[in-house]
């Protein structure tokens, strides 16, 4: 059986973040493609991390800037290596190139870090959400972008979670479409007969890992700019704020008199989203797809979000309201919370949206087909990606020498 080595930036935590959930989906997809998976990471193991052995996946801890990884590679002899985010490709890619030159090199971008960073900088500079959405080259063409795009070009295939980001890569960075593949979150078709009705639900909900800066920014934006207007018109309403790893500065926002309740970790995210009447996601910057909005649709929970939150998410069926100013966002939230007919209209869009955009069977089959094609025609794909070969020749050398220098320094 062929082996896939996954070099993880972190250990997967599907209950903590959409990134962790997506990683588990990808691992399942590779298993369906016939791969035996070995997951390795230099990160410290977390108490919330998934037990990969339950899924027939072996795991190892590895070291940064250590030649011990070279021997590890020779023992594993992987047919394919997937780097979890471009930082892992930068760190370990040259070693894979040296010791396993015929292995298929795959990059899971998660989301485009350079895009998220650029939008964050634009937001801090006072740009509107629309200007942040349509980011200018002034913010986009950063050193981080140069690193990330170089990593994408060095790999044989990069997995993209957002079609909007694929367009940005091909149109703004001239990345060949042949080396990128769209694979979003995917879900089994939910049973809508289990969804609670309008009258059975109460309160608003917000959810997202607090370590993810766009989520933390959104919580503060809710607290300072949106929730007071909602609470003024709905004095008995509550906002329940959930998310993994809440810092003290987040829990200090908890205020029962204001109905702003910071709940922290949610053992079952689907349960808390299913019981809420409306999900609020006023994201002001970010990239990729928003797992919280996919979860909301899966639970039949209408939402209010921003243009940033909605980017790449919807096509013909839209189970959310989209507003980009605090006042308009609050007004929509109040209206949706009170208007049963409008709420039901949006809920009826949830199931068709999941089927249209995130159908598990469709995306896994497309992924399996792409993997098979990439494996069978790897030499030809590499011949057509001269820029990637050039980057591996030059930039990998600098990364290699830096890693060897750090290793030598650590031995002193």
């Amino acid at each position: 059986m062929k082996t896939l080595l996954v070099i993880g930036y972190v250990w997967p935590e599907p209950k903590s973040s959409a990134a962790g959930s997506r990683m588990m989906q990808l691992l399942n997809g590779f298993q369906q493609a016939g791969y035996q998976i070995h997951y390795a990471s230099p990160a410290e193991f977390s108490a919330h991390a998934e037990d990969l052995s339950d899924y027939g996946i072996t795991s190892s801890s590895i070291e940064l800037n250590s030649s011990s990884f070279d021997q590890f590679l020779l023992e594993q002899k992987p047919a394919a290596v997937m780097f979890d985010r471009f930082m892992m490709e930068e760190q370990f890619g040259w070693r894979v190139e040296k010791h396993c030159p015929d292995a298929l090199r795959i990059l899971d971008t998660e989301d485009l870090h350079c895009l998220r960073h650029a939008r964050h900088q634009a937001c801090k500079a006072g740009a509107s959400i629309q200007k942040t959405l349509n980011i200018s080259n002034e913010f986009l063409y950063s050193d981080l972008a140069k690193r990330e795009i170089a990593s994408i070009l060095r790999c044989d295939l990069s997995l993209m979670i957002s079609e909007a980001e694929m367009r940005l890569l091909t149109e703004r960075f001239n990345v060949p479409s042949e080396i990128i593949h769209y694979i979003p979150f995917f879900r089994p078709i939910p049973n809508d007969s289990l969804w609670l009705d309008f009258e059975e639900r109460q309160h608003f909900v917000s959810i997202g890992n607090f370590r993810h800066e766009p989520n933390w920014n959104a919580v503060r934006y809710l607290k300072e700019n949106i929730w007071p207007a909602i609470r003024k018109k709905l004095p008995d309403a509550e906002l329940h704020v959930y998310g993994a790893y809440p810092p003290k500065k987040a829990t200090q926002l908890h205020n029962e008199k204001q109905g702003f309740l910071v709940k922290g970790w949610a053992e079952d995210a689907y349960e808390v989203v299913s019981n809420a009447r409306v999900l609020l996601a006023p994201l002001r910057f970010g990239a990729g797809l928003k797992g919280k909005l996919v979860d909301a649709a899966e639970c039949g929970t209408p939402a209010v979000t921003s243009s940033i939150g909605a980017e790449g998410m919807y096509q013909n069926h839209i189970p959310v309201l989209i507003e980009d100013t605090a006042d308009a966002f609050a007004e929509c939230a109040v209206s949706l919370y009170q208007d049963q007919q409008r709420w039901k209209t949006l809920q009826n869009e949830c199931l068709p949206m999941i089927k249209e955009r995130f159908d598990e069977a469709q995306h896994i089959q497309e992924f399996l087909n792409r993997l098979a094609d990439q494996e069978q025609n790897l030499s030809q794909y590499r011949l057509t990606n001269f820029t990637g070969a050039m980057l591996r020749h030059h930039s990998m050398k600098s990364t290699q020498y830096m890693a060897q220098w750090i290793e030598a320094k650590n031995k002193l």
Side-chain angles (χ1 to χ4, degrees):
M1 181 180 285
K2 54 191 176 182
T3 298
L4 168 73
L5 173 63
V6 180
I7 303 178
Y9 182 69
V10 295
W11 297 97
E13 295 185 27
K15 291 185 178 181
S16 299
S17 69
S21 176
R22 171 179 161 78
M23 175 56 74
M24 296 306 298
Q25 292 170 357
L26 289 178
L27 296 180
N28 176 55
F30 278 107
Q31 287 179 322
Q32 292 190 42
Y35 281 95
Q36 179 180 330
I37 301 175
H38 193 112
Y39 193 101
S41 176
E44 289 187 15
F45 195 77
S46 162
H48 297 308
E50 198 78 350
D51 186 346
L52 296 176
S53 65
D54 290 343
Y55 301 87
I57 298 170
T58 54
S59 59
S60 296
S61 292
I62 52 177
E63 293 183 51
L64 299 171
N65 303 306
S66 173
S67 56
S68 62
F69 183 76
D70 301 346
Q71 184 59 38
F72 175 76
L73 274 176
L74 293 172
E75 293 170 357
Q76 293 295 318
K77 298 178 182 177
V81 176
M82 184 172 77
F83 304 100
D84 172 27
R85 290 164 251 205
F86 80 92
M87 297 83 81
M88 293 296 94
E89 189 277 336
E90 281 186 329
Q91 178 67 224
F92 295 100
W94 68 270
R95 296 183 187 273
V96 174
E97 169 90 3
K98 180 177 180 180
H99 298 290
C100 303
D102 297 326
L104 176 65
R105 292 186 292 268
I106 302 169
L107 174 64
D108 179 31
T109 60
E110 292 290 351
D111 59 23
L112 278 181
H113 291 65
C114 64
L115 178 60
R116 173 158 35 98
H117 172 77
R119 287 175 169 169
H120 192 183
Q121 298 309 304
C123 181
K124 289 194 290 187
S128 67
I129 286 181
Q130 277 301 317
K131 287 187 176 180
T132 302
L133 180 70
N134 302 301
I135 193 71
S136 67
N137 292 348
E138 171 192 2
F139 292 104
L140 185 60
Y141 290 176
S142 63
D143 288 345
L144 186 67
K146 294 168 188 173
R147 291 171 53 198
E148 187 167 24
I149 302 306
S151 180
I152 289 171
L153 289 167
R154 286 192 297 262
C155 288
D156 299 310
L157 185 66
S158 288
L159 307 181
M160 305 301 302
I161 200 169
S162 168
E163 291 165 312
E165 292 182 2
M166 292 179 71
R167 289 192 296 271
L168 184 140
L169 286 180
T170 57
E171 295 172 7
R172 304 276 288 276
F173 291 110
N174 298 313
V175 172
S177 59
E178 293 81 11
I179 64 170
I180 54 179
H181 178 70
Y182 174 59
I183 179 165
F185 300 118
F186 38 87
R187 298 285 198 268
I189 304 304
N191 183 356
D192 58 343
S193 68
L194 301 177
W195 291 349
L196 298 179
D197 290 329
F198 180 88
E199 303 92 339
E200 299 176 283
R201 298 168 180 250
Q202 62 177 343
H203 304 315
F204 295 89
V205 68
S206 171
I207 191 166
N209 191 315
F210 282 94
R211 288 180 176 175
H212 191 55
E213 185 61 31
N215 291 334
W216 167 233
N217 182 274
V219 169
R220 288 190 289 117
Y221 189 51
L222 274 168
K223 173 73 171 181
E224 297 165 8
N225 301 90
I226 295 174
W227 185 246
I230 294 176
R231 181 75 169 183
K232 186 176 181 179
K233 293 185 177 180
L234 299 173
D236 295 326
E238 296 176 0
L239 172 60
H240 297 183
V241 181
Y242 289 92
Y245 303 107
K248 186 176 181 180
K249 60 185 179 182
T251 57
Q252 287 176 337
L253 297 179
H254 183 94
N255 189 313
E256 293 189 10
K257 290 184 178 179
Q258 296 173 358
F260 195 93
L261 309 180
V262 180
K263 300 281 190 172
W265 172 268
E267 184 62 35
D268 188 335
Y270 289 100
E271 181 180 357
V272 299
V273 174
S274 292
N275 285 297
R277 186 174 292 177
V278 177
L279 180 134
L280 302 180
L283 296 156
R284 301 166 71 200
F285 60 91
L289 297 181
K290 312 307 178 288
K292 58 179 68 62
L293 293 174
V294 182
D295 293 346
E298 197 173 356
C299 297
T301 305
V304 186
T305 190
S306 64
S307 297
I308 293 286
E311 183 183 46
M313 287 286 302
Y314 309 110
Q315 193 169 334
N316 296 313
H317 301 280
I318 306 177
V320 301
L321 300 178
I322 302 169
E323 292 292 348
D324 289 335
T325 66
D327 289 344
F329 192 101
E331 186 176 336
C332 267
V334 171
S335 172
L336 186 57
Y337 194 85
Q338 294 179 312
D339 189 336
Q340 183 171 359
Q341 183 175 353
R342 192 181 195 187
W343 186 92
K344 190 62 180 178
T345 298
L346 290 186
Q347 188 187 55
N348 288 339
E349 292 290 281
C350 290
L351 188 59
M353 189 277 277
I354 293 290
K355 291 179 178 179
E356 179 181 52
R357 300 292 288 161
F358 304 107
D359 178 51
E360 182 176 40
Q362 173 194 338
H363 289 297
I364 283 189
Q365 189 56 56
E366 291 175 354
F367 181 49
L368 297 182
N369 294 342
R370 185 59 185 271
L371 273 180
D373 176 62
Q374 205 81 21
E375 292 165 351
Q376 294 168 12
N377 301 290
L378 183 57
S379 297
Q380 186 59 39
Y381 276 115
R382 287 184 175 176
L383 281 175
T384 60
N385 183 14
F386 180 77
T387 304
M390 180 175 63
L391 285 169
R392 289 198 303 275
H393 176 77
H394 290 288
S395 60
M396 287 289 89
K397 290 292 188 291
S398 62
T399 306
Q400 174 184 344
Y401 296 147
M402 175 60 75
Q404 290 174 335
W405 179 82
I406 293 173
E407 183 177 12
K409 183 174 181 293
N410 288 340
K411 290 179 179 179
L412 295 178

